[in-house]
Amino acid sequence: MKAGRVSLRNPRPGDYGRVVALHGELYAREFGYDARFEALVAGIVAEFVDNFDSKRERCWIAARRGEVVGSVFLVRKSDSVAKLRLLVIHPKARGIGLGRRLTRACIEFARRKKYRKIVLWTQSHLGAARAIYQAEGFQKTASEKHRSFGKRLVAETWELKL
């Protein structure tokens, strides 16, 4: 798959449900997460839809021939801080720079909206995502062991000053 064949667009009807399903399917298959992870994602998506501020927030859907193959959300945490959420790439769209494209879309949007910082929460075992964040200038600011989604994990907080 070539990067140019994947478009980034605004969500359409059904896309939010597909984002939730994609997270649930991939994280169960690839990492052994249980249904509580999919429930967490569903809650994040529902909160985004219920409280959406089009002037300060955005969701990008990555699509190829009408199929959702990735997504990312940028949400308002405060007047000066945005939060990057729910970056996911379907395996058939990996390795073409799509994760970096989505992350950069968030950074560019946050700069245009005059945020001073972007924060995100991830897990230490998500090496590809962590590599993207680091390459884009994010810095890890905290880590904490926890048990969630039926797994023992290490949560990490990352920040990018704009």
Side-chain angles (χ1 to χ4, degrees), residues 128-162:
R130 293 171 76 251
I132 291 168
Y133 304 142
Q134 189 169 23
E136 294 302 318
F138 284 83
Q139 307 235 335
K140 184 172 66 168
T141 59
S143 65
E144 180 180 355
K145 292 179 183 179
H146 66 109
R147 183 163 182 81
S148 299
F149 325 123
K151 308 292 287 180
R152 289 182 185 200
L153 302 167
V154 179
E156 295 178 344
T157 302
W158 291 66
E159 296 182 356
L160 175 66
K161 292 184 179 161
L162 302 173

Side-chain angles (χ1 to χ4, degrees), residues 29-156:
R29 182 172 61 237
E30 295 179 3
F31 308 114
Y33 284 25
D34 65 23
R36 288 173 286 191
F37 179 70
E38 190 170 353
L40 172 73
V41 173
I44 292 167
V45 169
E47 183 178 346
F48 176 82
V49 171
D50 286 344
N51 301 304
F52 180 59
D53 177 357
S54 63
K55 294 177 182 168
R56 304 282 287 159
E57 301 177 312
R58 180 106 190 259
C59 169
W60 290 263
I61 298 294
R64 178 176 181 248
R65 296 186 196 132
E67 180 184 5
V68 174
V69 294
S71 71
V72 72
F73 292 64
L74 190 82
V75 301
R76 178 188 177 277
K77 186 170 173 157
S78 72
D79 286 343
S80 62
V81 179
K83 188 170 187 177
L84 187 152
R85 305 200 84 174
L86 302 181
L87 175 64
V88 67
I89 309 295
H90 192 285
K92 65 178 141 187
R94 292 179 184 158
I96 60 169
L98 184 55
R100 182 168 278 183
R101 270 180 71 196
L102 287 164
T103 301
R104 285 181 177 169
C106 287
I107 294 168
E108 290 167 14
F109 181 83
R111 284 189 171 125
R112 281 195 315 274
K113 298 303 176 180
K114 308 290 188 218
Y115 284 110
R116 286 188 234 136
K117 180 168 57 172
I118 300 174
V119 299
L120 65 88
W121 183 76
T122 192
Q123 303 303 317
S124 63
H125 67 89
L126 301 176
R130 293 171 76 251
I132 291 168
Y133 304 142
Q134 189 169 23
E136 294 302 318
F138 284 83
Q139 307 235 335
K140 184 172 66 168
T141 59
S143 65
E144 180 180 355
K145 292 179 183 179
H146 66 109
R147 183 163 182 81
S148 299
F149 325 123
K151 308 292 287 180
R152 289 182 185 200
L153 302 167
V154 179
E156 295 178 344

